[in-house]
Amino acid sequence: MARKLEPGRLVIASHNQGKVREIRDLLAPFGIEPVSAGELGLPEPEETGTTFAENALLKARASALSGLPALSDDSGLEVRALGGRPGVYTADWAERQWFEGEPGRDWYMAMGKVEGLLAEQGPSVDRSAAFVCTLAVAWPDGHSEVFEGRVEGSLTWPPRGALGFGYDPVFVASGADLTFAEIDPAAKHAISHRADAFKKLVAALF
Ligand code: IMP
């Protein structure tokens, strides 16, 4: 039986504003006071794991050192024709070294890289893909719980829509016509990989 999360402060162990916003929305009904790792000035650990679960646990455990329970999200895009890539390296594919030496993330470059690799396989390439999400909760005493979610879909090109974040403008969920960047946040929360993992977390921890 999973350990319950008591009402009170919970660190959202992420420095990604898009994820923090979505997790705050998803936590809103549960009497939790979310505070982000950025607001607490907590360092961002290096994601050295080779699975979503390892990276999620690394991030949650680092933020639980604050003395509060912490929730992290490790997520990414798995493209079938690319053997599941970019997978755990989804954020890295957007990494760009600007000339000032500051790393930045360029999502259009990342989406273009995926599209370029698909195009190399010809016009009849399998465009199916899934967003996957692993949520980890870690408590200051070392206990942790992990939950996994996924949403199946396909990749479209060119990117469409200005809502959401990351690879949302190229992802169309199965049975839908609009990309995740063209539907409002509530519609995305109803079906997303993060919402799927969240349902499992809620059932176990609240
Ligand atoms: P990480 O979990 O911080 O390693 O980053 C995962 C990356 O996957 C994010 O930075 C996004 O680019 C991408 N990603 C995860 N979830 C979503 C989503 O809901 N929409 C679009 N992109 C996402």
Side-chain angles (χ1 to χ4, degrees):
M1 193 86 150
R3 184 188 288 188
K4 301 291 171 197
L5 252 182
E6 301 300 331
R9 294 216 293 168
L10 172 78
V11 184
I12 304 177
S14 177
H15 292 256
N16 175 326
Q17 288 313 311
K19 280 189 193 173
V20 170
R21 195 171 53 239
E22 289 194 1
I23 293 170
R24 273 187 200 279
D25 288 352
L26 290 162
L27 280 173
F30 299 103
I32 295 288
E33 292 169 50
V35 46
S36 75
E39 282 164 340
L40 292 180
L42 298 171
E44 204 172 356
E46 254 201 83
E47 295 184 24
T48 51
T50 54
T51 63
F52 293 111
E54 276 172 21
N55 283 334
L57 281 168
L58 267 172
K59 290 187 271 192
R61 287 184 175 138
S63 283
L65 294 175
S66 66
L68 293 170
L71 166 65
S72 71
D73 164 315
D74 201 61
S75 45
L77 181 71
E78 291 184 348
V79 182
R80 188 165 307 154
L82 305 184
R85 288 188 298 156
V88 287
Y89 304 106
T90 299
D92 298 343
W93 281 29
E95 210 71 61
R96 169 167 266 169
Q97 207 66 35
W98 299 99
F99 63 92
E100 303 97 281
E102 285 290 313
R105 294 234 163 105
D106 181 338
W107 300 109
Y108 278 84
M109 177 189 76
M111 291 186 280
K113 186 167 169 180
V114 170
E115 185 59 27
L117 291 170
L118 286 179
E120 281 175 13
Q121 297 189 33
S124 58
V125 63
D126 176 359
R127 303 188 64 86
S128 58
F131 270 133
V132 298
C133 171
T134 300
L135 295 173
V137 178
W139 281 262
D141 67 0
H143 184 80
S144 59
E145 304 277 351
V146 170
F147 305 92
E148 295 185 344
R150 105 187 247 121
V151 56
E152 301 291 337
S154 64
L155 298 177
T156 187
W157 194 259
R160 301 195 316 256
L163 302 169
F165 66 97
Y167 294 69
D168 279 341
V170 290
F171 187 82
V172 179
S174 298
D177 298 316
L178 299 176
T179 70
F180 265 7
E182 293 178 306
I183 58 177
D184 67 43
K188 180 176 170 188
H189 291 342
I191 56 170
S192 80
H193 49 317
R194 195 158 292 106
D196 184 32
F198 227 82
K199 269 184 223 138
K200 296 172 187 167
L201 179 150
V202 166
L205 303 192
F206 289 112

